[in-house]
Amino acid sequence: MIMTTLTAACAFGVVAVLLLVLSYIAYQGITSLTFQFLIETPKPVGEGGGIGNAIVGSLILLGLASLVGIPFGIAVGTYLAEMGDGWFGTIVRFVADTMIGIPSIVFGVFVYALVVLQQGYFSTLAGCVALALIMIPIVTRTTEEMIRLVPKSMREGALALGAPQWRVTKDIVIPAAMTGIATGAMLSVARVLGETAPLLFTAFGSRFYNIYLDEPMASLTVQIYNYAISPFEEWHDKAWAATLVLVTLILLINIIVRFITRKKY
Amino acid sequence: MSSETTDNGLSDGEFSVAKPKQNNILGDKIFRFALTVCAAIILLIVLAMIAVMAQSSWLSLKEFGFGFLVGQVWDPVKGEFGALPFIYGTMVSAILALLIATPISIGVAVFLVEQAPKSLARPMAFLVELLAAIPSVVYGLWAIFVLAPILRVYVQPFLQKTLGFLPFFQGTATGIGMLTGGIILAIMITPIITAVVRDILEAVPVTQREASLALGATKWETTKIVLANASSGIAGAIVLGLGRAIGETMAITMIIGNRPQISASLFDPAYTIASVIANEFTEATGDLYLSALVEMGLILFLVTFIVNGLAKLLILSVARRTA
């Protein structure tokens, strides 16, 4: 009885922390959240300004990173599920799993040395590479899990009908696991949307709207960080409003994923 | 792929069967080769990370050698770089986080798996997982404006009054420092440890619980047996949490005070490896300075790689036994 009370207290306590954090973000963020704020670029203190370029920047960074990271992750995950039972597959699986736990700032350092130092300037491209590297192992892991859930009988049925292995995988197994793979990809997008550390010295941040790959690019998270550590009250309000936007996006993705997987299984 | 043109009869799960045999085999070979190359690239990425970071930190590696790990002075102006205060800050904040998060996480997992009714456990598990979805920078913001003031006004004076004779709770209560950093890390790793412990408890076969209950053990005694049998997996979960705590960057950078010092007091500001990289990387003037920061990144990479690998082995050992 006592133990049940204690464990229940732990569980409800943790949920309470979540609700506290979320409600405080909503309460603080809503006051400075205007349409103006969502489309303007950052301005000096006292002159307003917003996060328009940061929202666009985050979308561009995410879009390009997904373009590389998601297909690549799916390919590796497919390999691990369909032909990864040998020693090579075991090593790749182990490395991919371990990669998930590597701090995101390390990817930033790596990409800085690899791309930024060579080019001589911070760029959108460097930010995308860093984010893609973070996405790959996450997508790999979920893809493998989802493909392994596809019943063996489906594969055997297709093979028995004379389909070659690659068609079985491409046209039977992957479509059957598609919902799961897609939700895994969405979760990786949500995760990367919240990343700050790997962008600090790759995409760096910018005060202007930008669409060029070889220039620094603003992002929501870096903008929040810059607003948050400033000494100005007005900018703190902006940090909260930007946080409200960011967290809403991330929670939406998570809830949608939850909804999809619930219906399916 | 040449085989693509010879059969295009498959769509929407419909089958056309007749296909020339040799083309199939070629298709399979290409397919297998392409996927294997992708898998190999993952290994290449990790090797490239080590190589590139080692090369970029060569200057610092050569200049300081192993002394880098025990050097206590971090003075960019004089060109003296020692990592010990940062290693200390990282380890102490991570251990503090584990001390807080481990019992709570196990409690949550036990409640969700062993005690709560399914209708309550499922939504609750989802909410706990959502904690892990909140970005680090958001926790940092929240810590600066909510957690730190609470600690400064209520918690730290209380600790000082009751446990102030201990060296850990002396000094000025500013709300910014090791203690706050440890607490915010604890909040961030709790969902991770909980998720793994939950998976492990769910993997323990029902028969084990039934056997224990049939022998007359109470529900709690049964839970203790289940926990004991899963102990190496739980150790794995804790090590995984340690890995996350070591690598956490934004939240801890915003709250730990960023002063490279070794102080027994948990109220004092400290500095972590990840924080010094985040803070000083773009401002690093001079090759040696930059090189020292990249070496920090290399250390962080190697440590978390080993810690995560260890966690995975521990968790696997349970999965194998119960399978």
Side-chain angles (χ1 to χ4, degrees):
Chain A
M1 192 57 212
I2 295 171
M3 289 323 288
T4 311
T5 319
L6 268 180
T7 54
C10 286
F12 283 100
V14 169
V15 171
V17 169
L18 172 78
L19 298 179
L20 268 177
V21 173
L22 292 183
S23 56
Y24 197 81
I25 292 170
Y27 164 73
Q28 286 285 345
I30 206 84
T31 50
S32 347
L33 194 60
T34 58
F35 182 67
Q36 210 71 18
F37 179 74
L38 290 177
I39 55 167
E40 277 186 352
T41 54
K43 288 189 183 139
V45 184
E47 295 178 28
I51 53 167
N53 62 328
I55 294 175
V56 173
S58 274
L59 290 181
I60 292 176
L61 285 166
L62 263 185
L64 292 177
S66 306
L67 228 52
V68 182
I70 293 177
F72 191 83
I74 292 178
V76 181
T78 308
Y79 172 83
L80 290 178
E82 295 288 89
M83 39 192 115
D85 289 329
W87 62 270
F88 185 67
T90 310
I91 293 177
V92 171
R93 186 177 300 110
F94 186 81
V95 168
D97 271 1
T98 317
M99 233 172 124
I100 292 181
I102 292 176
S104 53
I105 193 160
V106 172
F107 290 101
V109 173
F110 169 59
V111 173
Y112 179 89
L114 188 74
V115 182
V116 179
L117 267 187
Q118 309 304 323
Q119 289 189 314
Y121 48 82
F122 299 112
S123 67
T124 310
L125 179 74
C128 290
V129 173
L131 294 186
L133 286 178
I134 296 170
M135 291 177 95
I136 290 168
I138 303 174
V139 178
T140 297
R141 148 83 69 74
T142 47
T143 302
E144 187 193 355
E145 279 174 10
M146 291 306 152
I147 289 184
R148 279 188 190 274
L149 286 180
V150 176
K152 242 199 158 91
S153 55
M154 278 177 81
R155 294 188 179 87
E156 283 161 357
L159 284 170
L161 286 169
Q165 178 70 50
W166 71 275
R167 294 227 70 149
V168 174
T169 305
K170 175 172 149 298
D171 294 321
I172 307 295
V173 177
I174 291 186
M178 206 54 219
T179 318
I181 294 174
T183 55
M186 283 168 73
L187 284 180
S188 78
V189 168
R191 155 87 195 272
V192 171
L193 181 57
E195 285 293 353
T196 316
L199 294 175
L200 283 175
F201 30 84
T202 54
F204 190 65
S206 156
R207 297 183 41 219
F208 311 102
Y209 277 102
N210 168 38
I211 50 165
Y212 301 107
L213 277 184
D214 56 353
E215 279 176 22
M217 177 75 87
S219 60
L220 264 176
T221 45
V222 173
Q223 193 61 55
I224 290 171
Y225 179 61
N226 289 335
Y227 277 146
I229 60 171
S230 77
F232 313 114
E233 191 105 345
E234 186 199 337
W235 279 14
H236 296 162
D237 292 342
K238 290 186 189 305
W240 285 111
T243 298
L244 180 57
V245 173
L246 177 72
V247 169
T248 307
L249 287 175
I250 291 175
L251 289 191
L252 263 183
I253 297 177
N254 274 279
I255 290 167
I256 291 171
V257 164
R258 170 77 173 179
F259 189 70
I260 296 172
T261 46
R262 232 187 125 99
K263 265 176 119 178
K264 179 94 178 161
Y265 304 106
Chain B
M1 272 189 260
S2 63
S3 55
E4 191 84 47
T5 52
T6 60
D7 62 63
N8 46 16
L10 294 186
S11 60
D12 297 328
E14 291 279 327
F15 276 102
S16 77
V17 177
K19 275 178 250 86
K21 202 80 207 184
Q22 61 271 40
N23 271 356
N24 294 349
I25 295 165
L26 180 65
D28 277 356
K29 273 185 181 158
I30 295 170
F31 184 61
R32 175 174 277 271
F33 179 73
L35 288 188
T36 313
V37 167
C38 287
I41 290 176
I42 287 267
L43 300 184
L44 284 181
I45 289 172
V46 172
L47 291 178
M49 288 182 83
I50 298 173
V52 168
M53 286 195 287
Q55 192 222 341
S56 301
S57 60
W58 189 244
L59 218 56
S60 164
L61 285 167
K62 210 170 55 185
E63 173 90 21
F64 304 114
F66 278 108
F68 188 71
L69 298 176
V70 291
Q72 295 202 28
V73 182
W74 182 266
D75 191 343
V77 181
K78 287 190 194 139
E80 232 183 295
F81 299 100
L84 194 63
F86 305 96
I87 295 172
Y88 174 84
T90 306
M91 288 323 293
V92 173
S93 59
I95 289 169
L96 203 59
L98 280 184
L99 286 178
I100 302 168
T102 302
I104 293 177
S105 305
I106 294 176
V108 177
V110 166
F111 181 73
L112 292 178
V113 177
E114 308 281 330
Q115 293 156 346
K118 271 264 152 7
S119 55
L120 179 65
R122 286 191 63 157
M124 249 182 142
F126 177 61
L127 289 178
V128 174
E129 274 168 26
L130 274 191
L131 266 182
I134 296 179
S136 181
V137 69
V138 174
Y139 277 115
L141 182 69
W142 185 77
I144 293 179
F145 293 108
V146 182
L147 188 62
I150 292 176
L151 283 172
R152 183 179 61 231
V153 178
Y154 302 105
V155 181
Q156 289 184 342
F158 171 77
L159 284 172
Q160 226 154 16
K161 225 189 286 171
T162 50
L163 296 164
F165 56 89
L166 292 169
F168 310 127
F169 304 113
Q170 286 167 1
T172 348
T174 58
I176 302 281
M178 190 75 96
L179 183 66
T180 323
I183 292 174
I184 202 74
L185 283 183
I187 295 176
M188 299 177 74
I189 63 174
T190 294
I192 292 157
I193 303 180
T194 303
V196 180
V197 174
R198 236 182 70 212
D199 283 349
I200 289 165
L201 290 183
E202 272 166 3
V204 174
V206 188
T207 47
Q208 209 180 84
R209 298 191 179 89
E210 284 168 351
S212 156
L213 287 172
L215 285 170
T218 63
K219 200 133 196 247
W220 170 240
E221 283 164 341
T222 306
T223 303
K224 274 202 289 192
I225 293 169
V226 171
L227 282 176
N229 282 345
S231 58
S232 67
I234 292 173
I238 295 169
V239 175
L240 195 71
L242 175 70
R244 282 302 153 88
I246 289 174
E248 251 322 312
T249 310
M250 299 317 295
I252 194 106
T253 303
M254 293 160 85
I255 202 68
I256 202 167
N258 298 337
R259 194 187 301 159
Q261 62 178 13
I262 297 176
S263 162
S265 171
L266 298 178
F267 294 175
D268 280 345
Y271 220 156
T272 71
I273 298 176
S275 300
V276 74
I277 301 174
N279 261 333
E280 301 186 5
F281 211 82
T282 49
E283 293 158 12
T285 46
D287 293 339
L288 186 63
Y289 192 4
L290 193 68
S291 171
L293 285 171
V294 177
E295 190 178 345
M296 290 283 204
L298 186 62
I299 293 172
L300 201 56
F301 173 87
L302 294 175
V303 169
T304 47
F305 201 86
I306 293 169
V307 166
N308 284 308
L310 182 69
K312 180 140 201 274
L313 291 178
L314 283 167
I315 295 168
L316 269 181
S317 73
V318 175
R320 215 169 275 144
R321 221 176 34 201
T322 50

